[in-house]
C-alpha cells in the first residue's frame, strides 16, 4: 500500500496532524510531536498512522518535515519529543542538547540507499563513478562543471540542472561526507529543498536534470525518473534492497534513525509509541521503500530503549560494514 505521493510531504504531514484533530481535541488526546528528516518521514508517517488507528481519540501524533538539522534544532531545544534523522546527531547538536538538559536515546530504524537520479528521457547516462559525482558537486572543482561534456568525453555539451536537499538535510550532510570527502564542500548553485517530492518534480520535468535523495522517493516515482548505477571502484551497482543488504551499494547506503528525549520517553504514550515503532519498523519500512534492519538489530534497539542508554553511538563510530546490533552494544557518548 502506498503511504505517500507526489502531492507533497508537507501536505501529508499536515493531514497526519489534522485528520484526527477534532476527535482528539474533543477527547483531550495526548500529543506526540515529531519533526526532522524528509527521508525518514515516510516510515514515521506509516508508523504514526497505524499507531493512531489503534489509539483513536486518545493519542495524536504530528509529523513535520524540516530536515534532520531542523529537527535536531527543535529537539535539542525541547520543542518536540522525537527527531527523525537520516544521519547521526552532530557534536554541535549534542552540545545544544546538553546545554538544555536533554538526554536522548538513538534508535536506528531502517537502511536507505541514497539514490542519484536523472530524467527518464536522458539517453546517455548509464552509470557514474564517485569521482564523477565529486567533480560535479564539489565547490572546489575548477572550472565549475556546468555541462554534461565536462563530466565525461562523449556526453553532450548541454547545461546540467542540479536538484538536491537543503543544508538542513541529513541527506545533504551524508552526501557531502561520503562523496565530496568533507561536510560543507558542496556547490551551492542548485535547486535545494527539504521536500524530496519537489526534487522529484524538478528532475522529472527537465531532460538535463540530475538530483539525489532517499530511495523511497525514487521507488514511488520510478515511472518519472531513473536511478543512476554508481561505481565506487568495483563496477556500477544499482541501488536496491539487495545491494544495500549485501553491502555492494557503497558508499551511499546508510542507517536511518529516530531520537527520543528522556522527558518524552518517561511519558507512557511516547514509550508506547516507540515500542510500537520498533515492533512494526521492519514491515512498514519495507512497505514504503526502505530496507528493514535484522531482527537482532531491532532487539538490540529495544534493549537500549528499555535500559534508557542515553547518548549516541553512531556519531562516534563509523557504521560502514558493521552489524548494527554489535554497534548498539557499545557505550553511548553523551
Amino acid at each position: 500500500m502506498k503511504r505517500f505521493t507526489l502531492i507533497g510531504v508537507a501536505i501529508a504531514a499536515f493531514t497526519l496532524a489534522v485528520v484526527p484533530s477534532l476527535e482528539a481535541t474533543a477527547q483531550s488526546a495526548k500529543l506526540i510531536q515529531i519533526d526532522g528528516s524528509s527521508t525518514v518521514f515516510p516510515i514515521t508517517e506509516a508508523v504514526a498512522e497505524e499507531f493512531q488507528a489503534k489509539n483513536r481519540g486518545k493519542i495524536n501524533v504530528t509529523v513535520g518535515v524540516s530536515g534532520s538539522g531542523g529537527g535536531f534544532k527543535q529537539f535539542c531545544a525541547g520543542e518536540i519529543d522525537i527527531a527523525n534523522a537520516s544521519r547521526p546527531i552532530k557534536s554541535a547538536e549534542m552540545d545544544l542538547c546538553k546545554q538544555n538538559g536533554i538526554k536522548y536515546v538513538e534508535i536506528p530504524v531502517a537502511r536507505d540507499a541514497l539514490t542519484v537520479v536523472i530524467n527518464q528521457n536522458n539517453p546517455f547516462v548509464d552509470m557514474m563513478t564517485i569521482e564523477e559525482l565529486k567533480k560535479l558537486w564539489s565547490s572546489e572543482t575548477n572550472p565549475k562543471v556546468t555541462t554534461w561534456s565536462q563530466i565525461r568525453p562523449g556526453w553532450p555539451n548541454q547545461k546540467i540542472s542540479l536538484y538536491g536537499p537543503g543544508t538542513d538535510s541529513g541527506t545533504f550532510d551524508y552526501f557531502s561526507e561520503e562523496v565530496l570527502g568533507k561536510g560543507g564542500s558542496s556547490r551551492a548553485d542548485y535547486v535545494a529543498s527539504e521536500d524530496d517530492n519537489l526534487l522529484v518534480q524538478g528532475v522529472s520535468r527537465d531532460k538535463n536534470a540530475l538530483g539525489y535523495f532517499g530511495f523511497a522517493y525514487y521507488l514511488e516515482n520510478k515511472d518519472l525518473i531513473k536511478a543512476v548505477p554508481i561505481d565506487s571502484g568495483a563496477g556500477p551497482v544499482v541501488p536496491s534492497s539487495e545491494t544495500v543488504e549485501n553491502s555492494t551499494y557503497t558508499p551511499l547506503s546508510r542507517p536511518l534513525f529516530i531520537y527520543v528525549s528522556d522527558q518524552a520517553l518517561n511519558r507512557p504514550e511516547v514509550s508506547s509509541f516507540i515500542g510500537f515503532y520498533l515492533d512494526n519498523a521492519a514491515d512498514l519500512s519495507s512497505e514504503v521503500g526502505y530496507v528493514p534492519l535484522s531482527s537482532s538489530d531491532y532487539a538490540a534497539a529495544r534493549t537500549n530503549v528499555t535500559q534508557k542508554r542515553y547518548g549516541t553511538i553512531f556519531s562516534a563510530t563509523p557504521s560502514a560494514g558493521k552489524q548494527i546490533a554489535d554497534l548498539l552494544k557499545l557505550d553511548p557518548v553523551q
Side-chain angles (χ1 to χ4, degrees), residues 34 42 87 121-122 167 188-189 198 210 233 237 252 258 276 285 293:
I34 308 171
R87 46 91 173 157
N121 295 317
N122 184 308
T167 56
D189 57 333
L198 295 180
L210 179 144
V237 179
L252 296 181
I258 59 172
F276 185 86
S285 61
L293 305 181

Side-chain angles (χ1 to χ4, degrees), residues 87-310:
R87 46 91 173 157
I89 190 169
K90 294 180 178 180
S91 58
E93 294 159 345
M94 294 169 63
D95 291 342
L96 181 60
C97 278
K98 189 176 295 186
Q99 290 170 17
N100 291 320
I102 293 175
K103 298 180 180 180
Y104 48 85
V105 179
E106 178 182 66
I107 308 170
V109 294
R111 289 186 184 273
D112 177 33
L114 194 157
T115 306
V116 178
V117 300
I118 53 175
N119 185 273
Q120 190 68 251
N121 295 317
N122 184 308
F124 53 88
V125 176
D126 57 352
M127 56 80 66
M128 292 184 73
T129 67
I130 291 295
E131 284 303 312
E132 287 173 334
L133 287 174
K134 182 176 181 179
K135 180 180 180 180
L136 173 61
W137 281 95
S138 176
S139 61
E140 298 174 0
T141 301
N142 189 16
K144 182 182 298 182
V145 174
T146 58
T147 65
W148 290 103
S149 59
Q150 290 174 273
I151 300 176
R152 188 184 303 176
W155 283 0
N157 186 30
Q158 296 173 358
K159 185 177 180 181
I160 302 175
S161 301
L162 294 176
Y163 294 81
T167 56
D168 265 342
S169 168
T171 301
F172 172 89
D173 292 328
Y174 188 87
F175 188 87
S176 296
E177 292 286 348
E178 296 299 328
V179 173
L180 307 182
K182 59 180 178 179
S185 58
S186 173
R187 62 192 296 172
D189 57 333
Y190 67 95
V191 178
S193 176
E194 307 300 344
D195 185 345
D196 292 342
N197 281 310
L198 295 180
L199 304 179
V200 169
Q201 291 180 45
V203 175
S204 69
R205 294 170 180 173
D206 188 337
K207 184 178 178 180
N208 283 301
L210 179 144
Y212 67 91
F213 38 74
F215 187 56
Y217 291 87
Y218 158 68
L219 286 183
E220 178 73 7
N221 300 281
K222 61 183 179 180
D223 57 329
L224 302 173
I225 53 180
K226 292 192 291 188
V228 179
I230 302 300
D231 184 354
S232 60
V237 179
V238 177
S240 69
S241 297
E242 292 73 25
T243 58
V244 170
E245 289 172 352
N246 64 25
S247 299
T248 57
Y249 188 67
T250 58
L252 296 181
S253 61
R254 56 180 176 161
L256 304 175
F257 305 91
I258 59 172
Y259 288 72
V260 59
S261 72
D262 55 337
Q263 297 101 318
L265 195 56
N266 288 330
R267 288 159 41 202
E269 68 274 16
V270 177
S271 178
S272 177
F273 177 78
I274 294 297
F276 185 86
Y277 202 127
L278 288 171
D279 287 344
N280 293 275
D283 289 339
L284 294 177
S285 61
S286 179
E287 181 181 306
V288 300
Y290 291 115
V291 182
L293 305 181
S294 69
S295 57
S296 60
D297 294 337
Y298 289 120
R302 288 187 193 92
T303 297
N304 280 6
V305 172
T306 301
Q307 296 181 353
K308 296 183 177 179
R309 300 185 70 219
Y310 296 123

Side-chain angles (χ1 to χ4, degrees), residues 4-23:
F4 62 107
T5 66
L6 201 59
I7 60 173
V9 165
I11 295 176
F14 176 79
T15 301
L16 193 65
V18 171
V19 166
S21 62
L22 295 178
E23 180 181 4

